[in-house]
Amino acid sequence: MAGRPRQPLEVIKGKGRSNHLTKKAIKERESQEQAIRGYTDNIEPPSYLTKTQKEEFEKIAAELIRLNIFSNLDVDGLARYIDSRDEYIRVQRDLRSMKPTRTVEVELLGKLTKEKFLNENYTKLQRAKNLLFNECKAAASELGLSITSRLKLVIPKVEEKKPETEFDKKFGGV
């Protein structure tokens, strides 16, 4: 399907752009959105997470539930985010303890000289760190963990209704 991603009905209403929807279409969308929202009755950390990862899972899941943007269907996505974030932190620590270059004594024309070479392990870890960062960023965005993704998910407040004018009384919602 080409075009813009479909926005929730409440977002459309909050932006004041629901004029193009009929009452029937609004009711249909409300029922569809309620059906796909998902339940929050079985949210538990997966068994493959470590003890500290499970604690982090509980903390983040509670916040996401409080924001009404998390359901049973999102459990595995949050677990993958936490796991990849932990891996990212481990790789980052390893990189900090490693030097990007290594010095090797080389004999050239009978003289010993010190030459600097690129540390292959450092570059491999750097690539792994970048991959893990991108994985974390994508998962965080999907779950609403970044401010920009939350701004896309948050439902704008509907403005107070103005009193009906004489035109509205006569012609209704035209």
Side-chain angles (χ1 to χ4, degrees), residues 94-173:
D94 289 347
L95 276 171
R96 286 187 181 143
S97 66
M98 194 181 289
K99 293 183 179 179
T101 58
R102 57 188 174 92
T103 305
V104 177
E105 287 189 5
V106 179
E107 185 177 334
L108 290 172
L109 301 173
K111 292 184 178 179
L112 278 177
T113 59
K114 291 184 179 184
E115 294 288 324
K116 284 192 175 187
F117 293 98
L118 193 61
N119 187 345
E120 294 88 15
N121 291 333
Y122 186 86
T123 55
K124 287 178 185 176
L125 276 179
Q126 191 71 35
R127 279 192 219 110
K129 183 189 107 173
N130 290 338
L131 286 172
L132 288 167
F133 175 78
N134 289 334
E135 188 177 308
C136 283
K137 186 177 174 185
S141 180
E142 284 180 22
L143 291 166
L145 297 177
S146 68
I147 187 71
T148 53
S149 63
R150 270 194 314 278
L151 287 173
K152 292 176 187 174
L153 295 172
V154 170
I155 299 169
K157 292 182 180 176
V158 179
E159 294 178 20
E160 294 179 21
K161 290 191 174 186
K162 298 175 184 174
E164 284 190 3
T165 63
E166 193 64 35
F167 179 83
D168 290 335
K169 289 178 185 174
K170 287 183 181 178
F171 299 108

Coordinates of all heavy atoms in Angstrom, one line a residue, residues 94-173:
D94 N 34.4 -3.1 25.8 CA 35.5 -3.8 25.2 C 36.3 -2.8 24.3 O 37.5 -2.8 24.3 CB 35.1 -5.0 24.4 CG 34.6 -6.2 25.2 OD1 34.8 -6.1 26.5 OD2 34.0 -7.1 24.7
L95 N 35.6 -2.0 23.6 CA 36.3 -1.0 22.7 C 37.1 0.0 23.5 O 38.1 0.4 23.1 CB 35.2 -0.3 21.9 CG 34.8 -1.0 20.6 CD1 33.7 -0.3 19.9 CD2 36.0 -1.1 19.6
R96 N 36.5 0.4 24.7 CA 37.2 1.4 25.5 C 38.5 0.8 26.1 O 39.4 1.6 26.4 CB 36.3 1.9 26.6 CG 35.2 2.8 26.1 CD 34.5 3.4 27.2 NE 33.4 4.3 26.7 CZ 32.2 4.4 27.2 NH1 31.9 3.7 28.3 NH2 31.4 5.2 26.7
S97 N 38.5 -0.5 26.3 CA 39.7 -1.1 26.9 C 40.8 -1.4 25.8 O 41.9 -1.9 26.1 CB 39.4 -2.3 27.7 OG 38.9 -3.3 26.8
M98 N 40.4 -1.2 24.6 CA 41.3 -1.6 23.5 C 41.8 -0.4 22.7 O 41.1 0.6 22.7 CB 40.5 -2.5 22.5 CG 41.2 -3.2 21.5 SD 40.1 -4.2 20.4 CE 39.5 -5.4 21.5
K99 N 43.0 -0.5 22.2 CA 43.6 0.6 21.4 C 43.3 0.4 19.9 O 43.3 -0.8 19.5 CB 45.1 0.7 21.6 CG 45.4 1.2 23.1 CD 46.9 1.3 23.2 CE 47.2 1.8 24.7 NZ 48.6 1.9 24.9
P100 N 43.0 1.4 19.2 CA 42.7 1.3 17.7 C 43.9 0.8 16.9 O 43.8 0.3 15.8 CB 42.2 2.6 17.3 CG 42.5 3.6 18.4 CD 42.8 2.8 19.6
T101 N 45.1 1.1 17.4 CA 46.3 0.7 16.7 C 47.2 -0.1 17.6 O 47.1 0.0 18.9 CB 47.1 1.9 16.2 OG1 47.4 2.8 17.3 CG2 46.3 2.7 15.2
R102 N 48.1 -0.9 17.0 CA 49.0 -1.6 17.8 C 50.4 -1.4 17.3 O 50.6 -1.1 16.1 CB 48.7 -3.1 17.8 CG 48.6 -3.7 16.5 CD 48.1 -5.2 16.5 NE 47.9 -5.7 15.2 CZ 48.9 -6.4 14.5 NH1 50.0 -6.6 15.1 NH2 48.6 -6.8 13.3
T103 N 51.4 -1.3 18.2 CA 52.8 -1.1 17.8 C 53.5 -2.4 17.8 O 53.5 -3.2 18.7 CB 53.4 -0.1 18.8 OG1 52.6 1.1 18.9 CG2 54.8 0.3 18.4
V104 N 54.2 -2.6 16.6 CA 55.0 -3.8 16.4 C 56.4 -3.4 16.0 O 56.6 -2.5 15.2 CB 54.3 -4.7 15.3 CG1 55.1 -5.9 15.0 CG2 52.9 -5.0 15.6
E105 N 57.4 -4.2 16.6 CA 58.8 -3.9 16.2 C 59.0 -4.7 14.9 O 58.8 -5.9 14.8 CB 59.7 -4.4 17.3 CG 59.7 -3.5 18.5 CD 60.8 -3.8 19.5 OE1 61.6 -4.7 19.2 OE2 60.8 -3.1 20.5
V106 N 59.5 -4.0 13.9 CA 59.8 -4.6 12.6 C 61.3 -4.4 12.3 O 61.8 -3.3 12.5 CB 58.9 -4.0 11.5 CG1 59.2 -4.6 10.2 CG2 57.4 -4.1 11.9
E107 N 61.9 -5.4 11.7 CA 63.3 -5.2 11.3 C 63.3 -4.8 9.8 O 62.8 -5.6 8.9 CB 64.0 -6.5 11.5 CG 65.5 -6.4 11.2 CD 66.3 -7.7 11.5 OE1 65.8 -8.4 12.4 OE2 67.3 -7.9 10.8
L108 N 63.8 -3.6 9.5 CA 64.0 -3.2 8.2 C 65.4 -2.8 7.9 O 66.0 -2.0 8.6 CB 63.1 -1.9 7.9 CG 61.6 -2.1 7.9 CD1 60.9 -0.8 7.8 CD2 61.2 -3.0 6.7
L109 N 66.0 -3.5 6.9 CA 67.4 -3.2 6.6 C 68.3 -3.3 7.8 O 69.2 -2.5 8.0 CB 67.6 -1.8 5.9 CG 66.7 -1.6 4.7 CD1 66.8 -0.1 4.2 CD2 67.1 -2.5 3.5
G110 N 68.1 -4.3 8.6 CA 68.9 -4.6 9.7 C 68.7 -3.7 10.9 O 69.3 -3.8 11.9
K111 N 67.7 -2.8 10.9 CA 67.4 -2.0 12.0 C 66.0 -2.3 12.5 O 65.1 -2.6 11.8 CB 67.3 -0.5 11.6 CG 68.6 0.1 11.2 CD 68.5 1.6 10.9 CE 69.8 2.2 10.5 NZ 69.6 3.7 10.2
L112 N 65.9 -2.3 13.8 CA 64.6 -2.5 14.5 C 63.9 -1.2 14.6 O 64.4 -0.2 15.2 CB 64.8 -3.1 15.9 CG 65.0 -4.6 16.0 CD1 65.2 -5.0 17.4 CD2 63.8 -5.4 15.4
T113 N 62.7 -1.1 14.0 CA 61.9 0.1 14.1 C 60.5 -0.3 14.6 O 60.0 -1.4 14.4 CB 61.8 0.8 12.8 OG1 61.2 -0.1 11.9 CG2 63.1 1.3 12.3
K114 N 59.9 0.7 15.3 CA 58.5 0.4 15.7 C 57.5 1.0 14.7 O 57.6 2.1 14.3 CB 58.3 1.1 17.1 CG 59.1 0.5 18.2 CD 58.7 1.1 19.5 CE 59.5 0.4 20.6 NZ 59.2 0.9 21.9
E115 N 56.6 0.1 14.3 CA 55.6 0.5 13.3 C 54.2 0.4 13.9 O 54.0 -0.5 14.7 CB 55.7 -0.4 12.1 CG 57.0 -0.2 11.2 CD 57.0 1.1 10.5 OE1 56.0 1.6 10.0 OE2 58.1 1.6 10.4
K116 N 53.3 1.3 13.6 CA 52.0 1.2 14.1 C 51.1 0.6 13.0 O 51.2 0.9 11.8 CB 51.4 2.6 14.4 CG 51.9 3.1 15.7 CD 51.2 4.3 16.2 CE 51.7 4.7 17.5 NZ 50.8 5.8 18.1
F117 N 50.2 -0.4 13.4 CA 49.3 -1.0 12.5 C 47.9 -0.9 13.1 O 47.7 -0.8 14.3 CB 49.7 -2.5 12.4 CG 51.0 -2.8 11.6 CD1 52.1 -3.0 12.3 CD2 51.0 -2.7 10.3 CE1 53.3 -3.2 11.7 CE2 52.2 -3.0 9.6 CZ 53.3 -3.2 10.3
L118 N 47.0 -1.0 12.2 CA 45.6 -0.9 12.7 C 45.2 -2.2 13.4 O 45.6 -3.3 12.9 CB 44.7 -0.8 11.4 CG 43.2 -0.4 11.7 CD1 43.1 0.9 12.4 CD2 42.5 -0.4 10.4
N119 N 44.6 -2.1 14.5 CA 44.2 -3.3 15.3 C 42.9 -3.9 14.7 O 41.8 -3.2 14.7 CB 43.9 -2.8 16.8 CG 43.6 -4.0 17.7 OD1 43.4 -5.1 17.2 ND2 43.7 -3.8 19.0
E120 N 43.0 -5.1 14.0 CA 41.9 -5.7 13.3 C 40.7 -5.9 14.3 O 39.6 -5.8 13.9 CB 42.3 -7.0 12.6 CG 43.3 -6.8 11.5 CD 44.8 -6.8 12.0 OE1 45.0 -7.2 13.2 OE2 45.7 -6.4 11.3
N121 N 41.0 -6.4 15.5 CA 40.0 -6.7 16.5 C 39.2 -5.4 16.8 O 38.0 -5.4 17.0 CB 40.5 -7.3 17.7 CG 41.1 -8.7 17.5 OD1 40.6 -9.4 16.6 ND2 42.1 -9.0 18.3
Y122 N 39.9 -4.3 16.8 CA 39.2 -3.0 17.1 C 38.2 -2.7 16.0 O 37.1 -2.3 16.3 CB 40.2 -1.9 17.3 CG 39.6 -0.6 17.8 CD1 39.4 -0.3 19.1 CD2 39.2 0.4 16.9 CE1 38.9 0.9 19.6 CE2 38.7 1.6 17.3 CZ 38.5 1.8 18.6 OH 38.0 3.0 19.1
T123 N 38.6 -2.8 14.8 CA 37.7 -2.5 13.7 C 36.5 -3.4 13.6 O 35.4 -3.0 13.3 CB 38.4 -2.5 12.3 OG1 39.1 -3.7 12.1 CG2 39.5 -1.4 12.3
K124 N 36.7 -4.7 13.9 CA 35.6 -5.7 14.0 C 34.6 -5.3 15.1 O 33.4 -5.4 14.8 CB 36.2 -7.1 14.2 CG 36.9 -7.7 13.0 CD 37.4 -9.1 13.3 CE 38.2 -9.6 12.2 NZ 38.8 -10.9 12.5
L125 N 35.2 -5.0 16.2 CA 34.3 -4.6 17.3 C 33.5 -3.3 17.0 O 32.4 -3.1 17.4 CB 35.1 -4.4 18.6 CG 35.3 -5.7 19.4 CD1 36.1 -5.3 20.7 CD2 34.0 -6.3 19.8
Q126 N 34.2 -2.4 16.3 CA 33.6 -1.1 15.9 C 32.4 -1.4 15.0 O 31.3 -0.8 15.1 CB 34.6 -0.2 15.2 CG 34.2 1.2 15.0 CD 34.1 2.0 16.3 OE1 34.9 1.8 17.2 NE2 33.1 2.9 16.4
R127 N 32.6 -2.3 14.0 CA 31.5 -2.7 13.1 C 30.3 -3.3 13.9 O 29.1 -3.0 13.7 CB 32.0 -3.6 12.0 CG 32.6 -2.9 10.9 CD 32.9 -3.8 9.7 NE 34.2 -3.5 9.2 CZ 35.2 -4.3 9.2 NH1 35.2 -5.5 9.8 NH2 36.4 -3.9 8.7
A128 N 30.7 -4.2 14.8 CA 29.6 -4.9 15.6 C 28.9 -3.8 16.5 O 27.7 -3.9 16.6 CB 30.3 -5.9 16.5
K129 N 29.6 -2.9 17.0 CA 29.0 -1.8 17.8 C 28.0 -1.0 17.0 O 26.9 -0.7 17.4 CB 30.0 -0.9 18.4 CG 29.5 0.2 19.3 CD 30.5 1.2 19.6 CE 30.2 2.4 18.9 NZ 30.9 3.6 19.1
N130 N 28.4 -0.7 15.7 CA 27.5 0.1 14.9 C 26.2 -0.7 14.5 O 25.1 -0.2 14.5 CB 28.2 0.5 13.6 CG 29.2 1.6 13.9 OD1 29.2 2.3 14.9 ND2 30.2 1.7 13.0
L131 N 26.4 -2.0 14.2 CA 25.2 -2.9 13.9 C 24.3 -3.0 15.1 O 23.1 -2.9 15.0 CB 25.7 -4.3 13.6 CG 26.3 -4.4 12.2 CD1 26.9 -5.8 12.0 CD2 25.3 -4.1 11.1
L132 N 24.9 -3.1 16.3 CA 24.0 -3.2 17.5 C 23.4 -1.9 17.8 O 22.2 -1.9 18.3 CB 24.9 -3.7 18.7 CG 25.3 -5.1 18.7 CD1 26.4 -5.4 19.8 CD2 24.1 -6.0 19.0
F133 N 24.0 -0.8 17.6 CA 23.4 0.5 17.8 C 22.2 0.7 16.9 O 21.1 1.1 17.3 CB 24.4 1.6 17.5 CG 23.8 3.0 17.6 CD1 23.6 3.6 18.8 CD2 23.5 3.7 16.5 CE1 23.0 4.8 18.9 CE2 22.9 4.9 16.5 CZ 22.6 5.5 17.8
N134 N 22.4 0.3 15.6 CA 21.2 0.5 14.7 C 20.1 -0.5 15.0 O 18.9 -0.1 14.9 CB 21.7 0.2 13.2 CG 22.6 1.3 12.7 OD1 22.5 2.4 13.1 ND2 23.5 0.9 11.8
E135 N 20.4 -1.7 15.5 CA 19.4 -2.6 16.0 C 18.6 -2.0 17.2 O 17.4 -2.1 17.2 CB 20.1 -3.9 16.4 CG 19.1 -5.0 16.7 CD 19.9 -6.3 17.0 OE1 20.7 -6.7 16.2 OE2 19.6 -6.9 18.0
C136 N 19.4 -1.5 18.1 CA 18.7 -0.9 19.3 C 17.9 0.3 18.9 O 16.8 0.5 19.4 CB 19.8 -0.4 20.3 SG 20.6 -1.6 21.3
K137 N 18.4 1.1 18.0 CA 17.6 2.3 17.6 C 16.3 2.0 16.9 O 15.3 2.6 17.2 CB 18.5 3.2 16.7 CG 18.0 4.5 16.3 CD 18.9 5.2 15.4 CE 18.3 6.5 14.9 NZ 19.2 7.2 14.0
A138 N 16.4 1.0 16.1 CA 15.2 0.5 15.4 C 14.1 0.0 16.4 O 13.0 0.3 16.3 CB 15.5 -0.5 14.3
A139 N 14.6 -0.9 17.3 CA 13.7 -1.5 18.3 C 13.1 -0.4 19.2 O 11.9 -0.4 19.5 CB 14.4 -2.5 19.1
A140 N 13.9 0.5 19.6 CA 13.5 1.6 20.5 C 12.4 2.5 19.8 O 11.4 2.9 20.4 CB 14.6 2.5 20.9
S141 N 12.6 2.7 18.5 CA 11.7 3.5 17.7 C 10.3 2.8 17.6 O 9.3 3.4 17.7 CB 12.2 3.8 16.3 OG 11.3 4.6 15.6
E142 N 10.4 1.5 17.3 CA 9.2 0.7 17.2 C 8.4 0.6 18.5 O 7.2 0.6 18.5 CB 9.5 -0.8 16.8 CG 9.9 -0.9 15.4 CD 10.2 -2.4 15.0 OE1 9.8 -3.3 15.8 OE2 10.9 -2.6 14.0
L143 N 9.1 0.6 19.6 CA 8.4 0.5 20.9 C 8.0 1.8 21.5 O 7.4 1.9 22.5 CB 9.4 -0.2 21.9 CG 9.6 -1.7 21.6 CD1 10.8 -2.2 22.4 CD2 8.3 -2.5 21.9
G144 N 8.4 2.9 20.9 CA 8.1 4.2 21.4 C 9.0 4.7 22.6 O 8.7 5.4 23.5
L145 N 10.3 4.2 22.5 CA 11.2 4.5 23.6 C 12.0 5.8 23.3 O 12.7 6.3 24.2 CB 12.2 3.3 23.8 CG 11.6 2.0 24.3 CD1 12.6 0.9 24.3 CD2 10.9 2.2 25.6
S146 N 11.9 6.3 22.1 CA 12.6 7.6 21.8 C 11.6 8.7 21.7 O 10.4 8.4 21.5 CB 13.3 7.5 20.4 OG 12.4 7.4 19.4
I147 N 12.0 9.9 22.0 CA 11.1 11.0 22.0 C 10.4 11.2 20.7 O 9.2 11.5 20.7 CB 11.8 12.3 22.5 CG1 10.8 13.4 22.8 CG2 12.9 12.7 21.6 CD1 9.9 13.2 23.9
T148 N 11.1 11.1 19.6 CA 10.5 11.3 18.3 C 9.4 10.2 18.0 O 8.3 10.6 17.5 CB 11.5 11.3 17.2 OG1 12.3 10.1 17.2 CG2 12.4 12.5 17.2
S149 N 9.7 9.0 18.4 CA 8.7 7.9 18.1 C 7.5 8.1 19.1 O 6.3 7.8 18.7 CB 9.3 6.6 18.3 OG 9.7 6.3 19.6
R150 N 7.7 8.6 20.3 CA 6.6 8.8 21.2 C 5.7 10.0 20.7 O 4.5 10.0 20.8 CB 7.0 9.1 22.6 CG 7.2 7.9 23.4 CD 7.3 8.2 24.9 NE 8.3 9.3 25.2 CZ 9.6 9.1 25.3 NH1 10.1 7.9 25.1 NH2 10.3 10.1 25.6
L151 N 6.3 11.0 20.1 CA 5.6 12.1 19.6 C 4.7 11.7 18.4 O 3.6 12.2 18.2 CB 6.5 13.3 19.1 CG 7.2 14.0 20.2 CD1 8.2 15.0 19.7 CD2 6.2 14.8 21.1
K152 N 5.1 10.7 17.7 CA 4.3 10.2 16.6 C 3.1 9.3 17.2 O 2.1 9.2 16.6 CB 5.1 9.3 15.7 CG 6.1 10.0 14.9 CD 6.9 9.1 14.0 CE 8.0 9.8 13.3 NZ 8.9 8.9 12.7
L153 N 3.3 8.7 18.4 CA 2.3 7.8 19.0 C 1.3 8.6 19.9 O 0.2 8.1 20.0 CB 3.0 6.7 19.8 CG 3.9 5.8 19.0 CD1 4.6 4.9 20.0 CD2 3.0 4.9 18.1
V154 N 1.8 9.6 20.5 CA 0.9 10.3 21.5 C -0.3 10.9 20.8 O -0.2 11.5 19.7 CB 1.7 11.4 22.2 CG1 0.8 12.2 23.1 CG2 2.8 10.7 23.1
I155 N -1.4 10.8 21.4 CA -2.6 11.3 20.8 C -2.8 12.7 21.3 O -2.8 13.0 22.4 CB -3.8 10.4 21.3 CG1 -3.6 9.0 20.8 CG2 -5.1 11.0 20.8 CD1 -4.6 8.0 21.4
P156 N -2.9 13.6 20.3 CA -3.1 15.0 20.7 C -4.5 15.2 21.4 O -5.4 14.5 21.2 CB -3.2 15.8 19.3 CG -2.6 14.8 18.3 CD -2.8 13.4 18.9
K157 N -4.5 16.2 22.3 CA -5.7 16.5 23.0 C -6.7 17.2 22.1 O -6.3 18.0 21.3 CB -5.4 17.5 24.2 CG -4.6 16.8 25.2 CD -4.4 17.8 26.4 CE -3.5 17.1 27.4 NZ -3.2 18.0 28.5
V158 N -7.9 16.8 22.2 CA -9.0 17.4 21.4 C -9.4 18.7 22.0 O -9.5 18.9 23.2 CB -10.2 16.4 21.4 CG1 -11.3 17.1 20.5 CG2 -9.8 15.1 20.8
E159 N -9.5 19.7 21.1 CA -9.8 21.1 21.6 C -11.3 21.1 22.1 O -12.1 20.3 21.6 CB -9.7 22.1 20.5 CG -8.2 22.2 20.0 CD -8.1 23.2 18.9 OE1 -9.0 24.0 18.7 OE2 -7.1 23.1 18.2
E160 N -11.5 22.0 23.0 CA -12.9 22.1 23.5 C -13.8 22.5 22.4 O -13.5 23.3 21.5 CB -13.0 23.2 24.6 CG -12.2 22.8 25.9 CD -12.2 23.9 26.9 OE1 -13.1 24.7 26.9 OE2 -11.4 23.9 27.8
K161 N -15.1 22.0 22.4 CA -16.0 22.3 21.4 C -16.6 23.7 21.6 O -16.9 24.1 22.7 CB -17.2 21.3 21.4 CG -16.7 19.9 20.9 CD -17.9 19.0 20.7 CE -17.5 17.7 20.1 NZ -18.6 16.9 19.7
K162 N -16.7 24.4 20.5 CA -17.3 25.7 20.5 C -18.8 25.6 20.5 O -19.3 24.6 20.0 CB -16.8 26.5 19.3 CG -15.3 26.7 19.2 CD -14.9 27.4 17.9 CE -13.4 27.5 17.8 NZ -13.0 28.0 16.5
P163 N -19.5 26.5 21.1 CA -21.0 26.5 21.1 C -21.5 26.5 19.6 O -20.8 27.1 18.7 CB -21.4 27.7 21.8 CG -20.2 28.5 22.2 CD -19.0 27.7 21.8
E164 N -22.6 25.8 19.4 CA -23.1 25.7 18.1 C -23.6 27.0 17.6 O -24.2 27.8 18.3 CB -24.3 24.7 18.0 CG -23.8 23.2 18.1 CD -25.0 22.3 17.8 OE1 -26.1 22.7 17.5 OE2 -24.7 21.1 17.9
T165 N -23.3 27.3 16.3 CA -23.7 28.5 15.7 C -25.1 28.3 15.1 O -25.6 27.1 15.1 CB -22.8 29.0 14.6 OG1 -22.8 28.0 13.6 CG2 -21.4 29.2 15.1
E166 N -25.7 29.3 14.7 CA -27.0 29.2 14.0 C -27.0 28.3 12.8 O -27.9 27.5 12.6 CB -27.5 30.6 13.7 CG -29.0 30.7 13.3 CD -29.9 30.4 14.5 OE1 -29.6 30.7 15.6 OE2 -31.0 29.7 14.2
F167 N -25.9 28.4 12.1 CA -25.7 27.6 10.9 C -25.6 26.1 11.2 O -26.2 25.3 10.6 CB -24.4 28.1 10.2 CG -24.1 27.3 8.9 CD1 -24.7 27.6 7.7 CD2 -23.2 26.2 9.0 CE1 -24.4 26.8 6.6 CE2 -22.9 25.5 7.8 CZ -23.5 25.8 6.6
D168 N -24.8 25.8 12.3 CA -24.7 24.4 12.7 C -26.1 23.9 13.2 O -26.4 22.7 12.9 CB -23.7 24.3 13.8 CG -22.3 24.5 13.4 OD1 -22.0 24.3 12.2 OD2 -21.4 24.9 14.2
K169 N -26.9 24.7 13.8 CA -28.2 24.2 14.3 C -29.1 23.9 13.1 O -29.8 22.9 13.2 CB -28.8 25.3 15.2 CG -28.1 25.4 16.5 CD -28.8 26.5 17.4 CE -28.0 26.7 18.6 NZ -28.6 27.9 19.4
K170 N -29.0 24.7 12.1 CA -29.9 24.5 10.9 C -29.4 23.3 10.0 O -30.2 22.6 9.6 CB -30.0 25.8 10.1 CG -30.8 26.8 10.8 CD -30.9 28.0 9.8 CE -31.7 29.1 10.5 NZ -31.8 30.3 9.7
F171 N -28.1 23.3 9.8 CA -27.6 22.3 8.8 C -26.8 21.2 9.3 O -26.4 20.3 8.6 CB -26.7 23.1 7.8 CG -27.5 24.2 7.1 CD1 -27.3 25.5 7.3 CD2 -28.4 23.8 6.1 CE1 -28.0 26.5 6.7 CE2 -29.2 24.8 5.4 CZ -28.9 26.2 5.7
G172 N -26.6 21.1 10.6 CA -25.9 20.0 11.2 C -24.4 19.9 10.9 O -23.8 20.9 10.6
G173 N -23.9 18.7 10.8 CA -22.4 18.5 10.6 C -22.1 18.5 9.1 O -21.6 17.5 8.6

